[in-house]
Every structure is written in structure tokens, then in C-alpha cells.
């Protein structure tokens, strides 16, 4: 058994800096020396991390024959001359120690300690290296496809990373050997092993893809102010330019969509709206609801709400598929957005809310008018849940209002 051979096996391919590796090997050998001699004070451990070679040297003071009082620190002149004929009394004698002197059992135990220490160091090194890279874009090869996750080999380091199903975009389907990309979402220790989790659903993933595709973002000429996503469906990105000569939206989209198309394909055809950021909240909300065209907006800063009025043919565009457009616009602007149909004329069979003053309490009518509902049909276009949320009514009150209005219109 040779500890230096064990060291050689580990020194290559391990992501541990040389000083640390040298210190570990020296500590292991000094432990052996202490067990055999009781002290390591007069021993030198010399490690060559480039070649894997190691030497042990014992230093003792040369004394006349018969005057050795401490064998750990002194050697007789006769023994010293057997090592080198040039030695004299009071010189320091340096004697090379063979590891075989420690015994097979001790060397085997030390070897196991060395292997264990190096593996622990490597785990810590991997954890620290990736912890500093949270948010970085990673390209890797699919190594294994499991039930709830995919294992990815980092192209740069060969380290195995985890891409859980919950961090995949709807429509993601991977086969072993394929290449994929993601951002490092978190790094943690599980059962004393470093686990690096990738994500393709985080807004940061879209941000890193845009940095890669749009040089102006990487150069700092364009800043991404905020990204909101429904992964695989739709995303909205607010951008701002620090150079008046650069159109941030045009730069991000590219000539004929050349820059954004690659990102859209990577995100499984996720619809990406690029919005020009502004501190003018009315304009910002208007831009955030693209592609819908807005007729009018009323802002209520104290409650962070906005009432948006649109032509009937624009309402569906503002809301989007499954409400995706308005949800993302709300997240992007920070304002709860209520959408109303803007009709020039009241429908022929509609009734003004004031006509129900004898059946509905005045404060309820005021609450309904406060959310833009002035007629019976405008109220009936909303669900009970919407009336409760927007008009701050009790559910029973909202249901009673709907019953009264429906009964009146049926009579009409």
C-alpha cells in the first residue's frame, strides 16, 4: 500500500486547488508520524502536487556516541556517519523515512482517511463553485431521464445537474444525449452531497437568453427592468435604453424578428411581448396590455388599481388566452387591472342602476358605479366573484343584486 499512489489517483481531475490538496496530504502523514513517534515536531513532509511525489524527512541533532538522551531529537555520530560521511557532532542530520516503516495496517487506515478527506473537499468545492453561479446560464447534455427529473451534464465541468419536471417548460421533452439549456436556480447539500438545480421556467432564464442574443443588453446600453412569465405560454419584458439613439424594443426583437425568434423556439413558442418601460403609469399600463388598444384608463394609486376601457372587439385581446395577457400586465405594472367594455350607447333593453334605488341600498349602487357599472347589463356581465373583489361586496349581497337585476330585465 502506497499513500503517494493514492494521492496521484486523486490529484488529477479533482477540482481542488493545489495548496489545499498539499495541506490534506501533509495532515494525513503527520497523523501517521504522531501515532508512531509521539510527535511530528522534527519531521518535514514535502509534497510535490505536480508529480504526486511525497518525501518524509526526520531532523535530529548529532551528539557523541553514548550521549543520546532523546531518540526523537538526537542521533549518535556513528549512526549519522552511516547516512553521510561528512557529518560532524552538533550538525543537523536529515534522514529520509520510508512509509513502509509505519506498517501496513496504519498505511491502509491513512489511505482511507486521505480518500475520505479529498472527497469531502471536492463536495465543498463543487458547492462553493456553483453557489457563486446562481442565475448563470448553463448548457449541458441530457445524461438520464427519470420520472420526476432529468439529469444534465454541465458541458463546462462535466458536473451532474438536476432539472426537475417542475422547472421545465410545458412542451419540454428530452432524450438522452440531447443538449439543453437552463439557469442555476439553487445549490444545496442533500445527504452530504451537493445538488445543483436548473430551471427553464424562471424569468432569469429568459433574461439570460436575451443577454446572449442582444449585444446592447450585454453591453449595458439596454436594461431589462422586469420580466414576468407564464412559462411556455406568454411573457412580457420591460426594457429601457440609456442611449436615445437606440430603440430598446426594436433592438431586442431584431431585424424581422431575427433576435427574438431563437428565444421563442427555445421557450417552446412562448409568446414574448417586449414593452418600452416608462415611469408614466398610464402609458406603462397601456403598453403592458399590448396588443389591445385602449380607449381610456382611470388610475387609483392609493389602491394600486386601474380601470381600463376598451372597445368590445379589443376586450378579448386585453384579457388574452385564459386571462394570460391581463395577468402578466398586472404583474408587470404592479397595478390590479379591471377591464370594461366601452360602449357609446346604452343597449335598448338596458336599465340605469339608479332605477333600482328602491330595491338596492344606495351604498351598494355607489360601489357598483365606482367600478364603472352604471347599468344593469354592465353589472350582469361580471361574475359574483368579480363583484365581490372589485366592488368589495359580500357574496350574498352580490348574488342578491344579480337576482334583482336579472328579474327586472326578464320582465322587460
Amino acid at each position: 500500500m502506497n499513500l503517494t499512489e493514492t494521492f496521484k489517483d486523486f490529484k488529477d481531475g479533482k477540482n481542488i486547488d493545489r495548496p489545499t490538496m498539499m495541506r490534506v496530504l501533509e495532515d494525513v502523514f503527520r497523523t501517521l508520524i504522531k501515532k508512531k513517534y509521539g510527535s511530528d515536531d522534527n519531521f518535514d513532509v514535502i509534497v510535490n502536487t505536480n508529480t504526486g511525489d511525497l518525501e518524509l524527512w526526520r531532523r535530529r541533532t548529532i551528539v557523541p556516541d553514548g550521549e543520546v538522551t532523546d531518540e526523537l531529537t538526537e542521533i549518535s555520530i556513528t549512526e549519522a556517519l552511516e547516512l553521510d560521511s561528512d557529518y560532524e557532532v552538533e550538525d543537523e542530520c536529515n534522514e529520509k523515512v520510508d512509509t513502509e516503516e509505519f506498517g501496513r495496517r496504519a498505511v491502509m487506515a491513512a489511505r482511507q482517511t486521505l480518500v475520505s478527506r479529498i472527497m469531502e473537499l471536492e463536495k465543498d468545492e463543487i458547492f462553493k463553485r456553483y453557489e457563486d453561479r446562481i442565475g448563470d446560464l448553463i448548457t449541458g447534455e441530457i445524461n438520464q431521464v427519470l420520472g420526476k427529473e432529468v439529469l444534465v451534464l454541465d458541458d463546462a465541468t462535466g458536473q451532474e445537474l438536476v432539472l426537475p419536471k417542475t422547472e421545465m417548460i410545458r412542451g419540454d421533452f428530452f432524450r438522452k444525449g440531447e443538449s439543453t439549456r437552463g439557469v442555476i436556480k439553487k445549490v444545496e447539500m442533500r445527504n452530504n452531497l451537493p445538488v445543483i438545480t436548473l430551471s427553464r421556467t424562471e424569468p432569469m432564464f429568459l433574461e439570460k437568453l436575451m443577454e446572449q442574443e442582444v449585444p446592447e443588453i450585454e453591453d449595458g446600453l439596454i436594461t431589462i427592468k422586469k420580466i414576468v412569465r407564464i412559462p411556455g405560454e406568454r411573457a412580457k419584458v420591460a426594457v429601457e435604453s440609456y442611449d436615445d439613439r437606440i430603440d430598446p424594443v426594436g433592438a431586442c426583437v431584431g431585424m424581422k424578428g431575427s433576435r427574438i425568434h431563437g428565444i421563442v423556439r427555445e421557450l417552446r413558442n412562448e409568446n414574448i411581448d417586449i414593452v418600452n418601460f416608462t415611469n408614466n403609469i398610464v402609458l406603462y399600463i397601456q403598453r403592458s396590455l399590448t396588443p389591445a388598444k385602449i380607449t381610456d384608463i382611470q388610475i387609483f394609486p392609493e389602491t394600486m388599481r386601474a380601470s381600463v376601457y376598451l372597445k368590445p372587439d379589443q376586450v378579448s385581446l386585453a384579457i388574452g388566452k385564459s386571462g394570460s395577457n391581463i395577468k402578466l400586465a398586472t404583474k408587470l405594472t404592479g397595478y390590479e387591472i379591471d377591464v370594461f367594455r366601452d360602449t357609446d350607447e346604452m343597449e335598448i333593453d338596458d336599465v340605469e342602476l339608479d332605477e333600482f334605488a328602491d330595491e338596492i341600498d344606495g351604498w351598494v349602487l355607489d360601489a357598483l358605479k365606482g367600478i364603472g357599472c352604471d347599468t344593469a347589463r354592465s353589472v350582469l356581465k361580471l361574475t359574483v366573484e368579480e363583484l365581490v373583489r372589485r366592488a368589495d361586496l359580500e357574496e350574498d349581497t352580490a348574488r342578491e343584486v344579480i337576482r334583482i337585476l336579472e328579474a327586472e330585465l326578464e320582465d322587460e
Side-chain angles (χ1 to χ4, degrees), residues 88-106:
E88 295 179 1
V89 173
E90 294 187 358
D91 284 350
E92 186 175 75
C93 174
N94 290 297
E95 179 186 1
K96 191 172 183 179
V97 180
D98 195 324
T99 55
E100 292 180 1
E101 291 185 21
F102 296 101
R104 179 179 176 81
R105 182 174 296 178

Side-chain angles (χ1 to χ4, degrees), residues 1-11 25 29 46-48 51-56 99 107 111 114:
M1 297 294 294
N2 193 325
L3 279 176
T4 56
E5 290 300 321
T6 299
F7 174 64
K8 288 178 181 179
D9 292 342
F10 276 86
K11 78 178 185 65
L25 191 59
F29 272 97
I46 302 172
V47 182
N48 187 325
T51 63
D53 294 333
L54 176 141
E55 293 180 353
L56 301 180
T99 55
V107 172
R111 180 186 185 279
L114 176 61

Side-chain angles (χ1 to χ4, degrees), residues 234-330:
R234 194 168 198 145
K236 288 185 182 290
V237 184
V239 294
E240 185 176 30
S241 172
Y242 291 121
D243 188 333
D244 293 338
R245 296 168 298 177
I246 298 175
D247 170 22
V249 175
C252 291
V253 173
M255 188 72 71
K256 296 183 179 179
S258 58
R259 290 177 172 176
I260 205 70
H261 282 167
I263 299 174
V264 170
R265 285 194 297 272
E266 177 71 47
L267 301 183
R268 308 300 182 193
N269 295 320
E270 190 170 305
N271 190 348
I272 303 173
D273 297 326
I274 309 294
V275 177
N276 203 339
F277 176 80
T278 175
N279 288 316
N280 182 329
I281 192 61
V282 172
L283 184 56
Y284 193 32
I285 291 174
Q286 185 175 338
R287 290 172 177 174
S288 72
L289 284 171
T290 183
K293 295 179 180 179
I294 295 168
T295 304
D296 189 26
I297 300 178
Q298 291 181 2
I299 301 295
F300 306 97
E302 65 282 356
T303 57
M304 295 296 286
R305 303 190 75 90
S307 296
V308 176
Y309 297 86
L310 309 99
K311 295 294 184 182
D313 62 337
Q314 296 296 306
V315 171
S316 60
L317 291 176
I319 294 173
K321 183 180 178 182
S322 302
S324 61
N325 199 49
I326 195 167
K327 285 177 186 175
L328 291 177
T330 294

